[in-house]
Amino acid sequence: MTAPTTATDVNQPSLQPTAPTGRRMSLPVLMLVIAGALALTSIVRLVTGANGITNVSQMSTALQLAVPIGLAGLGGLWAERAGVVNIGLEGMMILGTWFGAWAGFQWGPWTGVLVGIVGGALGGLLHAVVTIAFNVNHIVSGVAINILALGATRYLAPLAFEGHQGGSAKQSPPVDSLGHFSIPGLSGALESLNDQHWFFVSDLAGLLGGLVTDVSWLTLIAVALIPASWYILWRTPFGLRLRSCGENPIAAESLGVNVYKYKYLAVIISGGLAGLGGVFLSIVANPFYLEGQTSGRGYIGLAAMIFGNWMPGGLAIGAGLFGYTDSLNLRGGSANVHALLLLGALLLVAGAIWLAVRKKYVHAVITLVVGALVFAWYAGTNEVPNQVVSATPYVVTLVVLALSAQRLRMPKADGMPYRKGQGK
């Protein structure tokens, strides 16, 4: 984003900011890419007979696992668009899980949601004070918050949960459900269509069926936060000012923007979103707090945000990808991962052809060789070890980040120290 050029541009409430410039995939092209990937997946399903890779249950589980990752990534996006690196997302999620369950089992699940958001926001506030007011290195502060949150919840859990029915030093009493819903008629029709195992149509039905079957109300809220964040950050004067703090805070200050205020607000919102992701884990995914239940999802959310190029839409796709690979652990993991080896080989071959068309011959040859090795692994085995299944989400995280690194563009002032008046 280019910083505003006049004070009037920043302060006028009638300002209509434009979308970020640069090479971005248009919506029609994006839909074609998704349709192509789904068609390729359908071919793999028909060849391998692994119908579980696109059934409704698989997609529903993937959505449930993607939500906390997406919320953590969305929190990171808010902070980093204002110029503050938030490695502390994991710790803020931990605070959300604990505070959400603590309030939820006493006063009800919706109270738990609100208190969990506040718990994560408190972690965000601490990170903001340390990095903005005292100019501590953002990475150091984030790591410290992760350690502090883990230690604090371990200390508080026995005090809060022991002595209550179902509670222990590492687990809270159960929390009532927020409730789930399915769209009558549509959910059943999509599931029946998915059971036909037709090419593409059944796979599309499985994908859509997972979005409308047995969905939590909190999932609906989380999904709505993606377009809401895009609209606020890219279509409002508030969002323009906030993003200017992450691109060029000195220029923003010279035009009347209170940089400190916007950075504080962004990091507190970031913590609240990560806390909401933690609440999802301790109230929706599991109806109780359990020590260690975040399992690094804050870090994977950060990776999803980077994969999405600091954009809400790309972040949602990244979270969905990581949630899907994580769901393979729960439903027919070994058979499904083995089938996806073939899909990976085909994608690598397609990538090699694309690189060759762009005259990047060395990269094309390397990609083709890797694709051949993956295909040899698929053809020479009938299943993959359970250890590979468990490691799949993390391997996919690394591979996706490595392949997308060349097109990434972080906010220019992300992580840079700032002092009021430093441009004078």
Side-chain angles (χ1 to χ4, degrees), residues 32 68 86 89 106 163 166 231 237 253-254 318 326 352 368 380 382 387 422:
L32 285 174
N86 193 355
L89 292 169
Q106 297 182 90
Y231 181 82
E253 180 190 344
S254 71
D326 200 12
L368 186 62
N382 293 320
Q387 293 85 346
Q422 71 181 49

Side-chain angles (χ1 to χ4, degrees), residues 270-310:
S270 172
L273 289 168
L276 182 59
V279 168
F280 189 92
L281 292 173
S282 62
I283 294 182
V284 178
N286 295 296
F288 49 79
Y289 162 82
L290 184 65
E291 185 179 304
Q293 69 188 139
T294 55
S295 300
R297 287 181 175 86
Y299 299 112
I300 298 179
L302 196 63
M305 178 205 69
I306 295 170
F307 164 77
N309 206 11
W310 288 266

Side-chain angles (χ1 to χ4, degrees), residues 198-209:
W198 294 333
F199 171 72
F200 189 80
V201 176
S202 292
D203 302 283
L204 181 61
L207 176 61
L208 297 177

Side-chain angles (χ1 to χ4, degrees), residues 312-400:
L315 157 68
I317 294 173
L321 174 63
F322 301 141
Y324 177 77
T325 54
D326 200 12
S327 70
L328 297 175
N329 286 319
L330 303 179
R331 297 184 176 276
S334 181
N336 289 343
V337 171
H338 183 259
L340 291 178
L341 288 176
L342 178 58
L343 177 61
L346 294 174
L347 289 173
L348 286 167
V349 170
I353 295 172
W354 172 249
L355 289 169
V357 169
R358 300 181 66 185
K359 298 183 179 180
K360 297 183 178 181
Y361 299 116
V362 175
H363 295 83
V365 170
I366 294 173
T367 304
L368 186 62
V369 169
V370 174
L373 291 174
V374 172
F375 179 78
W377 185 6
Y378 165 78
T381 59
N382 293 320
E383 60 181 17
V384 295
N386 290 331
Q387 293 85 346
V388 173
V389 177
S390 300
T392 297
Y394 308 102
V395 172
V396 168
T397 302
L398 293 173
V399 171
V400 167

